[in-house]
Amino acid sequence: MKEIFEVIKPGLSTSIQDLGRAGYQKYGIPTSGAMDAFAHRIANLLAGNQEEEATLEIMLMGPQLKILQDAVIAIGGADLSATIDETPLQPWKSYRVYSGQILSFGKPIYGTYAYLAVKGAFLIEEVMESKSTYVPAGIGGFEGRILQKGDRLIAGDTDLTSVRAGRYLKAVDTPNYEQHRPIRVIAGPDLAAFSNETYQQFYQESYRITEQSNRMGYRLEGKALPHAEEADIISDAVLPGTIQVPANGQPIVLLSDRQTTGGYARIATVITADIPFLVQKRIGSEVQFLSISLERAQADYLQQQRYLQLLRTGLNH
């Protein structure tokens, strides 16, 4: 247990996240957790950690960190031009870094969220069984907030003999966040809230991700989606990827810091396997949706889990 990083520059929004605060939504506590859970998990595996351990979630403009002791690190998700002492680092690969070096992030190349994992994981006190930061309530992570200049982060088991640097994903397995593809969804539970014409419009039109988007949800802008009667429903459960349509007809895709219940009609839900491809889109990007069956969504989820299991097994040998 030693200090591993000192924050020289905090970046736009850098926070501690894990896979979320499960089991507390019935008390009104959002799950939080990594926006791109797949990239988060891969970064941990490449660094030699359990995939549920906490990482640094880095949004667009990354931090500058001083390495305080030798470590193995890995970066997953967006390519934010990471360098160690000005030598470029590639996403989806682990590296050995040394005390005194400077880890920096520069111009975003693709994607929005990058995940920095360190061997031994970040030693952070859990709040309701999670290290994830939920800034609106000031809980979890580093003092319940995004990182600031001067913060020092502590790692757990820093024994580097059990993990090697240079682990990487094959190019064929690397998510292509720049690929122009529709985001797949299954039908929402409030079928009677919209006409057939509205559903057709929802799948035919494209929507722009607006500047009001954040970890709570991506607000979309496009041709308004009319309701059959009213936009409001009796408050009901919402999930990662739930797409609500408020009275103005502009969809909102709920994400990691979403509320636990919602009172707007739910037209669809983004499938788990496609949430990374949505959250890695930039503000101003266009989004189109494609309807698939629940069975197909489940099959794609299981395929993703099988891949993670294969990667987990391969990296342990």
Side-chain angles (χ1 to χ4, degrees), residues 72 96 119 157-164:
V72 170
R96 182 75 177 259
K119 168 61 176 139
D157 176 14
T158 54
D159 177 15
L160 303 183
T161 60
S162 62
V163 62
R164 70 181 189 277

Side-chain angles (χ1 to χ4, degrees), residues 56-273:
L56 278 187
E57 181 180 86
I58 299 164
M59 179 182 174
L60 283 178
M61 295 175 57
Q64 188 176 70
L65 306 171
K66 183 176 182 180
I67 311 297
L68 300 179
Q69 66 165 320
D70 296 359
V72 170
I73 65 169
I75 301 170
D79 185 347
L80 305 183
S81 299
T83 62
I84 189 76
D85 284 350
E86 301 184 358
T87 299
L89 305 181
Q90 298 300 314
W92 311 110
K93 186 175 181 179
S94 64
Y95 292 88
R96 182 75 177 259
V97 295
Y98 299 93
S99 177
Q101 291 186 308
I102 303 297
L103 174 62
S104 302
F105 294 81
K107 178 182 177 181
I109 304 300
Y110 63 74
T112 297
Y113 292 97
Y115 294 86
L116 173 62
V118 60
K119 168 61 176 139
F122 294 104
L123 195 62
I124 297 288
E125 184 177 354
E126 292 187 352
V127 177
M128 288 174 266
E129 302 175 76
S130 172
K131 298 177 182 178
S132 283
T133 311
Y134 180 54
V135 173
I139 62 173
F142 194 98
E143 299 179 359
R145 56 171 172 78
I146 61 176
L147 296 189
Q148 298 176 3
K149 180 180 178 180
D151 290 343
R152 288 179 168 238
L153 300 175
I154 298 173
D157 176 14
T158 54
D159 177 15
L160 303 183
T161 60
S162 62
V163 62
R164 70 181 189 277
R167 294 175 168 187
Y168 64 94
L169 283 194
K170 296 178 181 178
V172 68
D173 294 328
T174 300
N176 184 355
Y177 299 131
E178 296 180 293
Q179 180 183 7
H180 182 68
R181 47 162 289 183
I183 300 298
R184 295 171 297 169
V185 300
I186 58 173
D190 301 315
L191 296 176
F194 306 96
S195 67
N196 288 334
E197 290 74 19
T198 299
Y199 280 108
Q200 291 176 12
Q201 176 185 324
F202 176 68
Y203 295 115
Q204 291 170 356
E205 298 289 330
S206 63
Y207 300 88
R208 188 183 73 88
I209 301 174
T210 72
E211 293 75 9
Q212 288 72 45
S213 300
N214 52 34
R215 280 180 47 86
M216 182 175 178
Y218 276 14
R219 291 180 175 268
L220 308 181
E221 182 180 69
K223 186 177 179 181
L225 295 165
H227 298 80
E229 294 182 2
E230 296 182 353
D232 294 347
I233 61 170
I234 297 173
S235 289
D236 204 346
V238 293
L239 305 168
T242 292
I243 304 178
Q244 294 183 314
V245 183
N248 66 4
Q250 303 298 325
I252 304 171
V253 187
L254 300 181
L255 297 167
S256 294
D257 283 350
R258 70 196 177 278
Q259 70 275 21
T260 56
T261 61
Y264 296 133
R266 300 156 293 180
I267 194 168
T269 303
V270 177
I271 70 170
T272 300

